[in-house]
Amino acid sequence: MAKLKILVAEDDTTHATKMEMLLDEMEYNCVGVHDNEKDLLRNIQIMKPDVIVLDISLKNTDSGISIAQKIQRIRPTPFLFVTSFDDKETLGKAMETNPYAYLIKPVERGNLQAAIELAIHKFSRQETTSHTQQSEWNTDVLVQNSFFLKRGSKLEKVQVKDILWIELTDERYCQIITTTHQYHLRMSLKALEQQLDPKLFLRVHRAYIVSIDRINSIEEADLMIGIEGREIPFGRSYKTVLFKRLQMLH
């Protein structure tokens, strides 16, 4: 399970240190803290962060507002502004760049975590909407090669490659089983199937979708698939497609 990658732009040492500490406490991965535009923009390309925390007034550089505009041209990424200013003029200019959140220093853990989750949620919904108008994700969103899912009080980034299988719990909910955890998703199995890469996943039962690469064995007589020591049923109507797909892997 990969941690969310957070990139920080902050030129005040005290605030930068506190930000790193807060991100560490929340078990996020701070992939860099920069005090200038040049290093920040370069590291965006290298680290590919999930969220950027951006001081609105970095010293010796363009304003955070103009930097935010450049970020979206380089690599669209959800960002949130952090600032010591709360005047209407600054806020108005900042809002023109469509930030995903806006925090006033000193930043506290609860506000920061809520802002990061809001940024991920809003960005994920935008990405999903641009790919399909039939999305039912609500707060649980598939983005490219990973899921952003809630577990407890925070979002976790779950790599698609770590998924073992997905099972139907009722008509509107699924349970995603990974190598380390189980996650509940507010989405029908049929809708989720349409979002998954058919080269990686296969529907084998009315209530199950499995990762093809994770299949360890097949009991043809009992109609059971072995995955990581667990047995998953497969339906007779799915048998032909299942065997054909497995043969294609050889």
Side-chain angles (χ1 to χ4, degrees):
M1 178 181 59
K3 294 182 179 181
L4 289 180
K5 295 188 294 184
I6 314 294
L7 187 61
V8 179
E10 173 62 69
D11 57 10
D12 183 290
T13 303
T14 300
H15 288 299
T17 301
K18 181 178 180 181
M19 183 66 67
E20 287 187 278
M21 179 187 70
L22 291 176
L23 293 173
D24 183 63
E25 288 178 357
M26 292 183 288
E27 298 184 0
Y28 294 143
N29 181 16
C30 181
V31 295
V33 178
H34 301 292
D35 61 3
N36 64 86
E37 175 186 337
K38 181 179 179 180
D39 290 341
L40 173 69
L41 297 181
R42 183 176 66 247
N43 212 14
I44 289 173
Q45 295 281 42
I46 297 172
M47 300 307 301
K48 296 179 173 57
D50 298 305
V51 177
I52 299 171
V53 180
L54 181 60
D55 189 331
I56 207 168
S57 56
L58 292 176
K59 298 175 183 177
N60 302 318
T61 186
D62 287 343
S63 69
I65 296 173
S66 65
I67 294 175
Q69 295 169 337
K70 295 175 183 177
I71 289 173
Q72 300 315 306
R73 290 197 295 268
I74 293 173
R75 182 179 181 271
T77 306
F79 67 93
L80 52 99
F81 281 133
V82 176
T83 181
S84 299
F85 304 102
D86 59 357
D87 63 276
K88 291 184 178 180
E89 183 179 357
T90 301
L91 180 60
K93 291 180 179 179
M95 290 303 104
E96 293 177 2
T97 63
N98 297 315
Y100 291 78
Y102 189 96
L103 298 175
I104 304 298
K105 296 178 182 177
V107 177
E108 300 301 329
R109 173 174 172 169
N111 292 337
L112 178 61
Q113 184 167 1
I116 290 174
E117 292 199 8
L118 176 63
I120 289 291
H121 172 58
K122 290 172 65 177
F123 184 74
S124 298
R125 284 183 62 84
Q126 289 174 2
E127 287 287 290
T128 304
T129 301
S130 68
H131 285 85
T132 175
Q133 297 300 316
Q134 300 177 348
S135 173
E136 302 175 21
W137 284 104
N138 295 324
T139 58
D140 302 310
V141 186
L142 176 66
V143 180
Q144 296 177 352
N145 295 318
S146 60
F147 289 90
F148 288 97
L149 299 176
K150 275 246 183 205
R151 191 169 76 89
S153 63
K154 70 187 189 70
L155 287 169
E156 290 187 347
K157 186 175 184 178
V158 181
Q159 298 293 333
V160 170
K161 62 182 178 61
D162 291 333
I163 297 173
L164 302 177
W165 72 85
I166 304 160
E167 60 186 76
L168 182 70
T169 54
D170 65 36
E171 293 305 316
R172 294 180 298 166
Y173 292 85
C174 297
Q175 184 168 244
I176 298 173
I177 312 299
T178 72
T179 53
T180 55
H181 294 104
Q182 298 181 9
Y183 299 87
H184 293 282
L185 180 65
R186 292 199 295 266
M187 189 175 194
S188 70
L189 196 65
K190 180 179 179 181
L192 177 55
E193 182 181 12
Q194 295 173 351
Q195 299 286 334
L196 296 171
D197 186 344
K199 296 178 182 178
L200 303 177
F201 294 92
L202 182 65
R203 183 81 169 262
V204 296
H205 188 277
R206 64 169 296 276
Y208 289 91
I209 295 173
V210 301
S211 170
I212 298 173
D213 288 342
R214 295 288 186 169
I215 296 176
N216 303 127
S217 63
I218 294 179
E219 288 290 342
E220 187 174 359
D222 298 328
L223 299 177
M224 301 297 290
I225 295 171
I227 298 179
E228 300 290 321
R230 296 277 299 277
E231 291 189 328
I232 307 298
F234 67 91
R236 292 186 183 279
S237 61
Y238 297 90
K239 179 178 176 180
T240 301
V241 175
L242 171 63
F243 277 59
K244 182 178 180 180
R245 289 297 304 277
L246 292 176
Q247 290 170 357
M248 290 173 63
L249 297 177
H250 294 297

